[in-house]
Amino acid sequence: MPEMRALSVSEALGLARKALEGVRLVVVGEVSEVSDKPSYKAVYFSLADEGAVMPCLMWRDAYSESGVSLRCGSLVEAEGVFTVYAAKGRMQFQVRRLALAGEGVLRMQVAALARRLQAEGLTSSDRKRRLPAFPTRIGLVTSPRGKAVHDVIRTLGRRYPVAELLIAGVLVEGDGAAEAIVKGLRVVTEAGADVVILGRGGGSYEDLMPFNSEAVARAVASCPIPVVTGIGHEPDTTIADMVSDLTASTPTAAAEAATPASADLMRRLEHISTRLARGLAYRVQALEHRVALLSGRPLFCDARRILGAWEQTLDGLSGSLERALPRRLDVASDRLRSADERLVSVGGRLVSAAGASVALLEARLGDLSPLGILRRGYSVCYAEDGETVIRSAGQVSLAEIVRVRLADGALGCRVETKEEEAAR
């Protein structure tokens, strides 16, 4: 067996590095630690699974181009080669391509949607509405076959049985679940619900993805009535939880948050009843005392204390009126007689002058009247139709019938002869 040549440490590590860098691998693992300092040229992190931990590095320019933000607990897919850092004698995986894997991709998409909705103000606490104190109709949007629907029904029956429950059974996971949830919210709203409970039981992150969809988020945010979400278990938080008016850890907790407890209501009603009884009794006592004080005043014992002075004033005014009225009537009668005499005197003169004017106008009107002219011996000749006035001999023909109007009647004549003269 030939004797092996002894190598220096640097030579040995160089051979190992050359051998490792010839193997390109794709590794999936969970990020267990991250060292990302701006002054470093590379980002250092570790990938782990149930049985091992692998140190990794990625040069900063390649890391920036990947678009991935490393967080502990993220599941990533790393492509690269093993290499040896000779100065420390340490093997590490040099990552050349990095991407989120499995659930990590979903979480990245959900985080991006959450940031966009937050920028629009849909997750702001200022837009969250108060729940009705005593709802009469409660809408429930959930799976009709899951445990959540029974938990909510049982909780509402125990805490607040007076409310009417409107259930919209919908898909809560898988294809078409987001569209079904949006439709369920619309149905219970149109049915007249005062508040909506949107919920489902626990499940994997993928199972809860319909509640992370943009369509469901916008439907919850635009719902005209308050929405209470109870999705999954305590640590689960979805986009629907972020935009709802109130978030509960479970469907049962959502039902409790949306309703008052009947026992609490009874205690509150008893307390209000006691306060009302005390207030009413105090009010009655105060009014009784006031009535007693008022009834003892002289005013209510002798009405003349108020009416006496007014009655005396009325008597004085009545006497003054009786004295003043006859004098005023006498003065008015004298003025009326004087006016009557003046009217008779002036009226005669006015009528005489008016009569003379009327006679003069009548004479002038008679002079201008056509009948007056006819009475002086003139006549008017009409055509046979009795309407057209004949002003010229050329308007008629021999043997034509004409009508002659006189002052006291009319004649029907036949034209025997006609003589035309030149107009002057």
Side-chain angles (χ1 to χ4, degrees):
M1 183 175 182
E3 184 179 358
M4 297 182 63
R5 184 176 69 87
L7 303 175
S8 66
V9 174
S10 297
E11 290 175 332
L13 290 176
L15 289 174
R17 177 177 181 177
K18 184 176 181 181
L20 290 172
E21 288 181 349
V23 181
R24 192 178 185 91
L25 302 174
V26 177
V27 181
V28 176
E30 182 178 319
V31 179
S32 60
E33 59 180 347
V34 181
S35 178
D36 180 12
K37 296 183 179 180
S39 59
Y40 287 179
K41 302 297 183 182
V43 177
Y44 300 92
F45 59 98
S46 297
L47 295 180
D49 58 15
E50 293 82 357
V53 177
M54 182 176 70
C56 304
L57 72 87
M58 189 173 188
W59 298 114
R60 185 165 295 280
D61 55 350
Y63 176 68
S64 300
E65 292 177 0
S66 70
V68 178
S69 179
L70 289 173
R71 298 287 186 273
C72 290
S74 300
L75 187 67
V76 298
E77 183 179 273
E79 180 180 346
V81 296
F82 281 103
T83 186
V84 175
Y85 181 41
K88 295 289 186 179
R90 183 176 63 188
M91 183 188 71
Q92 56 193 5
F93 190 67
Q94 182 175 324
V95 180
R96 296 177 179 174
R97 185 185 64 82
L98 184 66
L100 294 174
E103 183 180 311
V105 175
L106 297 179
R107 290 185 181 275
M108 181 179 68
Q109 295 172 350
V110 170
L113 176 60
R115 288 192 296 271
R116 182 150 51 88
L117 297 179
Q118 184 177 13
E120 295 180 20
L122 297 185
T123 61
S124 173
S125 59
D126 296 336
R127 60 168 298 278
K128 297 184 183 298
R129 296 161 292 189
R130 297 182 59 182
L131 305 185
F134 305 104
T136 57
R137 286 185 172 183
I138 300 173
L140 173 61
V141 181
T142 188
S143 170
R145 292 180 294 274
K147 183 182 177 182
V149 66
H150 300 289
D151 291 342
V152 173
I153 292 174
R154 183 169 55 253
T155 302
L156 294 179
R158 171 177 52 84
R159 285 177 57 87
Y160 196 62
V162 297
E164 179 182 358
L165 181 61
L166 308 173
I167 301 177
V170 300
L171 290 173
V172 293
E173 62 181 77
D175 295 337
E179 293 78 6
I181 293 171
V182 171
K183 183 178 180 181
L185 289 171
R186 184 175 66 252
V187 168
V188 296
T189 300
E190 293 175 351
D194 302 319
V195 64
V196 180
I197 299 174
L198 175 61
R200 65 151 289 163
S204 66
Y205 194 81
E206 289 81 358
D207 292 339
L208 300 180
M209 281 306 294
F211 297 91
N212 287 318
S213 70
E214 183 173 359
V216 171
R218 294 195 180 279
V220 171
S222 62
C223 187
I225 58 177
V227 178
V228 181
T229 53
I231 302 168
H233 296 303
E234 184 71 35
D236 298 322
T237 300
T238 65
I239 298 293
D241 292 321
M242 297 173 65
V243 300
S244 66
D245 297 286
L246 182 65
T247 302
S249 57
T250 62
T252 299
E256 292 177 349
T259 57
S262 56
D264 295 339
L265 283 177
M266 291 302 299
R267 287 192 294 270
R268 184 175 178 183
L269 290 175
E270 290 175 359
H271 178 66
I272 293 174
S273 176
T274 301
R275 292 181 59 188
L276 285 175
R278 291 176 180 174
L280 184 60
Y282 174 79
R283 182 66 174 168
V284 170
Q285 291 176 359
L287 291 175
E288 287 179 346
H289 178 67
R290 186 176 181 185
V291 169
L293 292 177
L294 292 175
S295 63
R297 291 186 177 183
L299 166 65
F300 296 100
C301 299
D302 184 8
R304 295 292 179 183
R305 289 182 175 270
I306 291 181
L307 300 179
W310 290 102
E311 289 178 345
Q312 291 180 356
T313 302
L314 184 60
D315 289 342
L317 293 175
S318 176
S320 299
L321 182 61
E322 290 178 354
R323 291 188 297 271
L325 189 58
R327 291 197 297 269
R328 296 294 297 273
L329 290 176
D330 292 340
V331 172
S333 297
D334 292 341
R335 293 179 62 186
L336 182 60
R337 283 193 297 271
S338 175
D340 181 63
E341 293 173 355
R342 291 177 61 193
L343 180 60
V344 171
S345 175
V346 175
R349 294 194 298 270
L350 292 175
V351 170
S352 298
S357 298
V358 169
L360 179 60
L361 293 173
E362 181 181 7
R364 295 182 61 188
L365 183 61
D367 293 339
L368 297 175
S369 172
L371 295 178
I373 296 173
L374 293 180
R375 281 194 292 269
R376 291 200 297 270
Y378 293 95
S379 62
V380 181
C381 186
Y382 294 90
E384 188 177 3
D385 58 9
E387 295 181 359
T388 304
V389 178
I390 299 174
R391 294 181 172 82
S392 171
Q395 290 182 248
V396 297
S397 303
L398 295 176
E400 183 177 344
I401 301 300
V402 296
R403 184 171 177 270
V404 178
R405 178 72 166 85
L406 304 176
D408 58 353
L411 300 176
C413 301
R414 183 187 302 273
V415 179
E416 297 292 343
T417 62
K418 67 174 184 175
E419 297 178 0
E420 297 185 16
E421 296 182 0
R424 298 179 183 179

